[in-house]
Amino acid sequence: MTVAETPFVSEKPSHAADLPGFEGSEKRVELDFYPSRCATYTRGLRHFTREQLDELMTLAQCEIVSHTPGQTFDAYVLSESSLFVYAHTLVIKTCGTTKLLGCVERLLEFANALQMSLRRVKYTRASYKYPEVQPFPHQSFEQEIQYLDEHFSTVLRSKGSAYVLGNSQDGLQWHVYVADAEKEGSTDANNARVTVEICMTGLSQVSVEPFWHKNNGGNAVWATKASGIRDLLAKSKIDDFAFEPCGYSMNGLEGDAFNTIHITPEDGFSYASLELCGYQNLDIPQIVNGCAKVFNPQHLAVAVSTDLVSVDGPGFATDGLPAPADMLSSGCTYQTLGPGGATLFCTYNAQLQTSAAAPMSALLIPSTSDLALAIETPAISEQSILHQTSSSISISSETDTPTSKKPRTAESTLQSELLLCKLQSYQKESVAC
């Protein structure tokens, strides 16, 4: 069952108060450990106490707002994104100006107390929209790489490999750091972990209306259904959370796999992300198309990664993925990873003929998953990055900056009294049910 936490109202960090918008692009770290050398700790990392997890999240500058236990892992909705704890794997992703990597040193200490040694670490993120306000060590990819090497190279007995995928002129770029004590990824197709991360910017104004508190009244279940997310992830056990005055997060559990969505609805820097991890035989093009239908983004990027040494099969063709409906491909990059595995990164842009505003008739039925056809254009800026990895792989590319995610201030620019009336009416009906 979902365990409700103390009511939580999220606010922007004080050092980000002067930003024109919220930084939606998530930082994500995934750590794999060997089983404990002590028979007492059969549940591995799931032996971490709530107090220990709270301490880690405080170091990362966020906090837990909801918890859903599963059979093989625990899922936590955070004030900024999500946390997933398996017996031997821990995944944390945070947005905004959080200090994600600030918790890794203490995390390793907690794991060591359980007699568990680190086997592999992987860090990924898209481009930042506001890199200049990120806290240390997240002010540049070079800085993040140096910090990761300093904290993991001794434990894993080697430095990691780092990559920047994509072209800044095509939209977002994808940053990857990976280090593995075994020097090569999984060779067992049955145990290989596939992760799909989708980032969307310039969301349809109508599609994000359910994620404003003035429309959902804090009813996250209603927002999940009205937006089309419930239909998109029909088999998932969902733990959802609606923020005030706007913003939305959810975790979905399906057996050993999880999915998670995070949304910033504010006009001008709207952002949504969907991650799916641990699924077998996932129809990736279908999922990407579903996201495009729900959010109707101006720009969409998808990163598909695996720790399998030899990558083959549906959904992971090295030459890319088909473009979603009404979108055009702007480029794909396939990269094998030094310690084993690979990442495929593709970007897409909405076709120019898409209408820039939704007709009023499209605003009358907010309960459907087909909510809108309104497009906004986010601001884009660029910066350069050059990094030389320990294995002499040199990456020189332009780093684009994306739009953002879970904002806490400002009002929606769409003020249709008719739309609000319909939303409120639907909400009352949903609550009554």
Side-chain angles (χ1 to χ4, degrees):
M1 62 178 289
T2 298
V3 181
E5 307 294 334
T6 302
F8 176 86
V9 177
S10 181
E11 298 178 353
K12 287 182 181 179
S14 59
H15 58 278
D18 296 331
L19 288 180
F22 188 80
E23 178 68 78
S25 183
E26 295 104 341
K27 318 167 182 79
R28 181 187 190 276
V29 66
E30 177 178 291
L31 301 104
D32 295 318
F33 292 82
Y34 292 106
S36 174
R37 297 181 297 277
C38 177
T40 303
Y41 303 121
T42 57
R43 299 177 70 245
L45 302 174
R46 299 182 76 186
H47 280 286
F48 284 171
T49 66
R50 176 57 188 268
E51 290 73 21
Q52 287 177 311
L53 294 176
D54 284 338
E55 180 180 346
L56 294 176
M57 296 308 99
T58 298
L59 292 171
Q61 298 181 351
C62 59
E63 60 183 285
I64 296 170
V65 300
S66 185
H67 167 218
T68 303
Q71 288 190 348
T72 60
F73 68 98
D74 294 291
Y76 300 84
V77 176
L78 305 178
S79 55
E80 282 80 15
S81 300
S82 295
L83 163 69
F84 302 93
V85 183
Y86 291 79
H88 306 128
T89 299
L90 187 143
V91 177
I92 316 175
K93 63 188 305 178
T94 63
C95 60
T97 50
T98 50
K99 189 177 179 180
L100 172 60
L101 294 180
C103 73
V104 297
E105 184 173 356
R106 188 65 170 148
L107 172 59
L108 293 177
E109 292 176 1
F110 287 160
N112 186 60
L114 297 176
Q115 298 187 37
M116 298 180 67
S117 300
L118 184 67
R119 185 187 72 81
R120 186 175 187 266
V121 59
K122 183 180 180 183
Y123 175 78
T124 58
R125 68 168 175 85
S127 316
Y128 292 132
K129 185 175 181 65
Y130 310 110
E132 68 280 2
V133 300
Q134 288 293 325
F136 175 85
H138 296 288
Q139 295 163 337
S140 70
F141 191 39
E142 288 179 300
Q143 189 178 82
E144 291 168 324
I145 293 166
Q146 182 178 355
Y147 190 88
L148 288 160
D149 277 343
E150 288 175 353
H151 285 79
F152 295 114
S153 61
T154 300
V155 177
L156 297 174
R157 298 182 296 279
S158 68
K159 291 185 177 180
S161 301
Y163 312 88
V164 177
L165 282 62
N167 189 323
S168 62
Q169 297 180 352
D170 295 331
L172 297 180
Q173 289 182 295
W174 196 247
H175 303 71
V176 182
Y177 171 97
V178 61
D180 195 319
E182 297 185 357
K183 308 298 181 261
E184 60 181 48
S186 171
T187 57
D188 182 357
N190 294 322
N191 294 323
R193 181 168 56 237
V194 174
T195 303
V196 180
E197 296 176 76
I198 302 171
C199 305
M200 295 163 283
T201 62
L203 311 180
S204 156
Q205 289 181 338
V206 179
S207 71
V208 298
E209 281 298 305
F211 308 115
W212 284 87
H213 189 272
K214 64 182 182 181
N215 297 331
N216 62 45
N219 187 340
V221 174
W222 173 84
T224 300
K225 182 177 180 181
S227 63
I229 290 174
R230 178 72 272 180
D231 292 334
L232 181 65
L233 301 168
K235 297 180 180 180
S236 296
K237 175 184 178 181
I238 290 180
D239 177 15
D240 39 23
F241 196 95
F243 292 86
E244 188 176 357
C246 61
Y248 169 93
S249 287
M250 64 77 70
N251 291 333
L253 293 77
E254 290 188 42
D256 295 337
F258 71 80
N259 55 71
T260 182
I261 291 179
H262 305 283
I263 300 167
T264 282
E266 287 184 317
D267 187 35
F269 51 90
S270 57
Y271 176 93
S273 68
L274 166 64
E275 175 182 341
L276 303 102
C277 182
Y279 287 82
Q280 299 292 329
N281 303 315
L282 185 65
D283 189 337
I284 298 173
Q286 182 181 45
I287 290 293
V288 174
N289 268 293
C291 284
K293 182 179 180 182
V294 169
F295 297 104
N296 195 15
Q298 185 73 16
H299 309 284
L300 183 150
V302 55
V304 184
S305 60
T306 180
D307 57 355
L308 185 64
V309 173
S310 176
V311 181
D312 194 9
F316 208 98
T318 59
D319 56 350
L321 297 167
D326 299 321
M327 302 195 82
L328 298 174
S329 174
S330 56
C332 285
T333 304
Y334 176 80
Q335 177 67 59
T336 56
L337 305 179
T343 295
L344 174 69
F345 180 66
C346 300
T347 54
Y348 308 91
N349 296 314
Q351 296 188 42
L352 296 178
Q353 62 264 33
T354 303
S355 172
M360 184 58 66
S361 61
L363 306 180
L364 301 183
I365 311 177
S367 61
T368 67
S369 61
D370 229 349
L371 282 177
L373 288 174
I375 295 296
E376 61 182 74
T377 303
I380 299 294
S381 61
E382 298 181 350
Q383 67 175 10
S384 298
I385 182 169
L386 175 65
H387 175 67
Q388 180 77 24
T389 70
S390 61
S391 57
S392 300
I393 300 175
S394 179
I395 303 172
S396 179
S397 55
E398 293 297 318
T399 303
D400 185 30
T401 56
T403 52
S404 55
K405 187 156 82 178
K406 197 187 309 165
R408 315 294 183 240
T409 61
E411 294 295 326
S412 170
T413 59
L414 191 60
Q415 300 293 341
S416 167
E417 294 182 1
L418 178 60
L419 172 61
L420 295 181
C421 178
K422 292 290 183 179
L423 285 166
Q424 292 166 358
S425 175
Y426 180 83
Q427 179 184 351
K428 291 177 181 178
E429 294 175 1
S430 298
V431 173
C433 293

